[in-house]
Amino acid sequence: MAKNRNLNSAAKAKKDKFYTQLDDIAEEVRHYKEFFKGKSVLCNCDDPFESNFFQYFALMFNALEIKRLVTTSYADSPIAGKEISLFPDGKTAYMTEVTELRDWNGDGREDLLDVKFAIEHGIYKTTPLEGDEKYCAGDFRSKELIALLEQADVVVTNPPFSVFREYVAQLLDAGKKFLIIGNKNALTYKEIFPLIKDDKLWGGFMPMGREIYFDVPQEYIDEDLDAGKDRSIVLHDGRYMARSQSIWFTNIEAAKFREDIPLYKKYSPEENPRYDNYDAIEVSKTAEIPEDYFGVMGVPITFLDKYNPNQFEILGHTSANDLSPAVEALRLDPKNRNRGLINGQQKYDRILIRRRHDDSQV
């Protein structure tokens, strides 16, 4: 069987096996309801009956007026607390296609049992994936999945965090719309931050300060509880789950991304001191961006929750990794590329922004 060592290792990495909760998917997708009408949706990191992405879009097929739903799986491990398995071996990668949702089993309602019935009775197309000479079956980079990607209008899933950069790059190269989950740290990746800066990618509707809880394999839970060190495993809703500071990433336009941040605070040298190593002032809370200041400001990463590119320009961020000309020009000491310092005390990573225009002059 053809395999790729790197992805095989990534697929087996326990922290790539985070399974998103149905409520979190429903809460985010509802904001894009009109967008999904008539669309072909691809969930290419999702196993039926283990993935809540598949369950959500299969159950909401008619409500969202989706044209087609395609879900693909990778050789996976059962998640803690789930007994349902569509395929007996639990290892084979499959492609499942949904083109219609009806009361297939005749019980008077349309639900997940109808989806299961339709698959088991061949109403929905379900075929094994084979992989190719380079990639395992179910790998998003395999020829089979690239062909499915080309047919899709939008991709919605929780991709493996270990290959997040490559996953996003593939979607953008293919010119696809997407709504995916990633670790909040990805905001400052050198491959991701420029996309946000250039208004090609946004954080979703879910606030960045909110934690997401994921189902994970039982062995992950057992190992971390035994080690007693990983505080990401917590009791939530009566069961052990993984807690993560993850967020939604999307390139689907929504009204939220063009709403101005209301400004009411006045600039204060005491409350907004200048950095020792950047020609910019500190603003510790997005809500406290001064309405009367038009120079460069350092704001928290959570600023991206409210960011409107018509109101603000993102210049870069206070990190040694950001060597863009705009940020280099703001550094007062070219040898000091640390995060912003105030009286010698280092602050958290900040996004460097500037107002697009002086409203008082308009």
Side-chain angles (χ1 to χ4, degrees):
M1 179 185 295
K3 291 185 179 181
N4 176 274
R5 280 186 189 174
N6 291 335
L7 186 62
N8 205 35
S9 297
K12 291 180 179 178
K14 301 179 189 68
K15 292 193 177 181
D16 269 348
K17 295 176 180 176
F18 277 35
Y19 297 83
T20 313
Q21 297 300 292
L22 190 62
D23 287 349
D24 289 327
I25 297 168
E27 176 58 28
E28 184 68 24
V29 173
R30 72 181 182 87
H31 296 287
Y32 311 87
K33 182 177 180 181
E34 291 302 316
F35 169 83
F36 281 96
K37 185 176 181 179
K39 297 293 194 301
S40 176
V41 180
L42 174 64
C43 303
N44 58 358
C45 300
D46 303 272
D47 184 69
F49 293 89
E50 284 194 0
S51 166
N52 284 322
F53 283 96
F54 173 78
Q55 294 189 34
Y56 175 80
F57 283 108
L59 292 172
M60 293 292 290
F61 195 92
N62 294 333
L64 292 174
E65 299 182 66
I66 295 170
K67 179 175 67 176
R68 179 177 182 240
L69 169 63
V70 173
T71 306
T72 63
S73 66
Y74 190 86
D76 60 292
S77 298
I79 59 177
K82 289 226 176 183
E83 302 297 332
I84 297 176
S85 179
L86 180 61
F87 306 112
D89 60 12
K91 298 292 182 183
T92 307
Y94 282 81
M95 183 277 287
T96 302
E97 179 182 12
V98 177
T99 54
E100 186 179 10
L101 176 62
R102 290 187 189 177
D103 178 18
W104 298 113
N105 63 3
D107 66 355
R109 57 185 179 183
E110 297 171 353
D111 56 22
L112 193 60
L113 293 177
D114 292 302
V115 178
K116 188 173 187 292
F117 181 93
I119 294 174
E120 291 176 339
H121 290 77
I123 299 171
Y124 294 158
K125 180 181 178 182
T126 300
T127 56
L129 298 168
E130 298 178 355
D132 54 39
E133 66 279 0
K134 190 174 181 181
Y135 297 111
C136 290
D139 186 320
F140 68 90
R141 297 167 294 188
S142 67
K143 293 176 183 177
E144 290 169 309
L145 266 70
I146 289 174
L148 292 174
L149 177 62
E150 290 173 351
Q151 300 167 21
D153 297 311
V154 57
V155 177
V156 188
T157 191
N158 176 6
F161 288 180
S162 64
V163 289
F164 187 79
R165 296 172 174 88
E166 188 171 2
Y167 188 84
V168 172
Q170 185 196 67
L171 296 178
L172 292 172
D173 288 345
K176 300 301 178 180
K177 295 295 184 181
F178 57 86
L179 179 62
I180 60 177
I181 290 178
N183 192 284
K184 189 164 71 172
N185 292 333
L187 288 167
T188 58
Y189 290 172
K190 64 180 181 180
E191 300 88 352
I192 302 300
F193 187 80
L195 299 172
I196 297 171
K197 179 181 173 182
D198 294 340
D199 197 23
K200 296 178 180 178
L201 180 66
W202 309 280
F205 279 79
M206 190 193 78
M208 291 183 184
R210 175 183 157 190
E211 293 177 324
I212 303 182
Y213 294 87
F214 298 90
D215 281 315
V216 291
Q218 187 63 50
E219 66 168 318
Y220 179 18
I221 295 172
D222 293 340
E223 287 180 10
D224 285 309
L225 289 178
D226 289 343
K229 295 179 180 179
D230 194 334
R231 289 178 294 175
S232 68
I233 298 297
V234 296
L235 270 174
H236 181 70
D237 288 342
R239 66 184 191 276
Y240 283 109
M241 304 180 73
R243 176 178 60 191
S244 173
Q245 288 193 337
S246 299
I247 63 172
W248 292 89
F249 291 83
T250 189
N251 62 347
I252 302 172
E253 277 278 5
K256 171 201 172 185
F257 308 133
R258 294 294 182 267
E259 295 175 353
D260 279 359
I261 300 173
L263 307 176
Y264 68 95
K265 290 277 289 187
K266 298 294 184 182
Y267 165 67
S268 164
E270 291 74 28
E271 294 183 26
N272 308 118
R274 303 195 73 80
Y275 296 111
D276 303 342
N277 54 338
Y278 288 91
D279 185 14
I281 64 168
E282 160 76 359
V283 179
S284 60
K285 297 180 180 179
T286 300
E288 296 180 356
I289 294 174
E291 64 172 352
D292 56 346
Y293 190 84
F294 299 91
V296 179
M297 299 169 274
V299 295
I301 288 178
T302 51
F303 161 82
L304 296 175
D305 267 341
K306 305 292 185 181
Y307 169 53
N308 176 358
N310 296 328
Q311 183 183 19
F312 290 97
E313 174 188 10
I314 293 178
L315 304 176
H317 62 104
T318 58
S319 166
N321 296 326
D322 194 338
L323 301 178
S324 62
V327 174
E328 287 289 284
L330 294 171
R331 286 193 171 102
L332 301 177
D333 181 359
K335 296 181 180 179
N336 188 347
R337 290 191 169 89
N338 295 322
R339 293 187 302 223
L341 300 171
I342 295 179
N343 297 325
Q345 297 296 313
Q346 187 167 274
K347 309 298 289 186
Y348 289 106
D349 194 8
R350 296 294 193 232
I351 295 176
L352 296 167
I353 65 168
R354 180 168 52 202
R355 295 273 288 282
R356 286 287 185 185
H357 54 75
D358 183 342
D359 295 328
S360 67
Q361 303 301 315
V362 177

